[in-house]
Amino acid sequence: MTIIKICGLSTPDTLAAALDSGADMVGLVFFPKSPRRVDLDTARFLADQARGRAAIVALTVDADDALIEDIVAATRPDLLQLHGHETAARVAAIKARFRRPVMKAVGIAAAADVAAARDLAATLLAQADGEDRILLDAKPPKDAALPGGNGLPFDRNLVVGLDLALPFMVSGGLDPASVAEAIRLVTPWGVDVSSGVERAPGVKDPARIEAFIKAARAACDDGGDARGRVA
């Protein structure tokens, strides 16, 4: 079964839509410049709502230890998503201090980026027990204010048949109309969506969330399930 993550959730109603539709992971964003950012009190409430129904992912961007400590205390996340310029050494330090698996984002625009993702996966695997994950996202445009794919896809042909040392998710430009093809083409461990299920920046649409999850599940039923599945 392909893992489905709905990221950037910020209200009880949209989180409920993701949970009721069968999301496997839900993401809470703590990057100050993001329209999807939640404060610690809201995040605590949402994490309590999700706990036991989906894995809780806390997304940070080049955060310092003090902020991560506050996030971990408030949400008790299952996974820390690192979406900035964190080095392998910084990732290792975060893992050692907070004792949480990580999902490190890698921007993809060319074959060299895929090679970098492969090297990172091998490094993470050497640091721990294989619980970490990689997120393959579109490289942001040079003038982008936000990290990540900014709703843009990358060339999926770059990662067709990719076998990393760790399971990986695909993001960037996914929406209810495109997710099935991405699953069939790449067969990733998981798919991650944020802006593709919104009606406006930071405003999730419950109907689009449901449609995205249905489309992803249908692609799995059609034989687009991921290789190397890790529970």
Side-chain angles (χ1 to χ4, degrees):
M1 182 182 72
T2 301
I3 299 300
I4 300 171
K5 175 172 172 277
I6 308 296
C7 196
L9 293 157
S10 59
T11 67
D13 288 348
T14 54
L15 174 58
L19 296 171
D20 291 345
S21 297
D24 302 294
M25 291 181 165
V26 293
L28 306 176
V29 174
F30 296 92
F31 182 52
K33 295 181 180 180
S34 173
R36 302 162 189 92
R37 175 187 176 271
V38 290
D39 58 38
L40 291 172
D41 287 338
T42 300
R44 181 180 293 106
F45 181 85
L46 295 175
D48 287 344
Q49 181 182 347
R51 199 171 318 282
R53 298 186 64 188
I56 299 163
V57 182
L59 186 158
T60 64
V61 178
D62 298 316
D64 60 22
D65 284 355
L67 176 56
I68 298 175
E69 185 169 358
D70 288 343
I71 292 168
V72 169
T75 65
R76 291 182 288 140
D78 298 289
L79 203 69
L80 292 171
Q81 182 173 332
L82 307 178
H83 221 98
H85 297 92
E86 298 90 356
T87 64
R90 175 60 178 151
V91 172
I94 290 171
K95 287 170 53 60
R97 175 163 181 171
F98 298 104
R99 299 189 180 280
R100 293 290 195 286
V102 302
M103 178 157 61
K104 181 68 184 84
V106 179
I108 302 295
D113 302 316
V114 179
R118 195 185 305 278
D119 291 343
L120 175 63
T123 299
L124 290 176
L125 187 61
Q127 292 173 354
D129 56 7
E131 293 185 351
D132 298 323
R133 302 289 180 259
I134 300 290
L135 174 66
L136 304 179
D137 202 354
K139 260 190 175 175
K142 291 183 179 180
D143 58 349
L146 301 176
N150 289 265
L152 301 173
F154 65 88
D155 182 359
R156 312 289 185 209
N157 291 305
L158 289 169
V159 296
V160 171
L162 181 64
D163 184 12
L164 294 179
L166 291 173
F168 66 90
M169 302 192 95
V170 167
S171 188
L174 295 179
D175 59 25
S178 65
V179 64
E181 179 60 22
I183 290 173
R184 294 187 188 106
L185 184 65
V186 181
T187 59
W189 174 78
V191 289
D192 185 0
V193 68
S194 186
S195 61
V197 291
E198 292 179 346
R199 63 170 67 101
V203 183
K204 292 290 187 288
D205 184 331
R208 288 181 66 81
I209 291 172
E210 181 180 7
F212 182 91
I213 294 174
K214 283 185 175 179
R217 294 290 184 230
C220 296
D221 292 342
D222 289 343
D225 198 11
R227 300 181 304 266
R229 179 69 52 209
V230 175

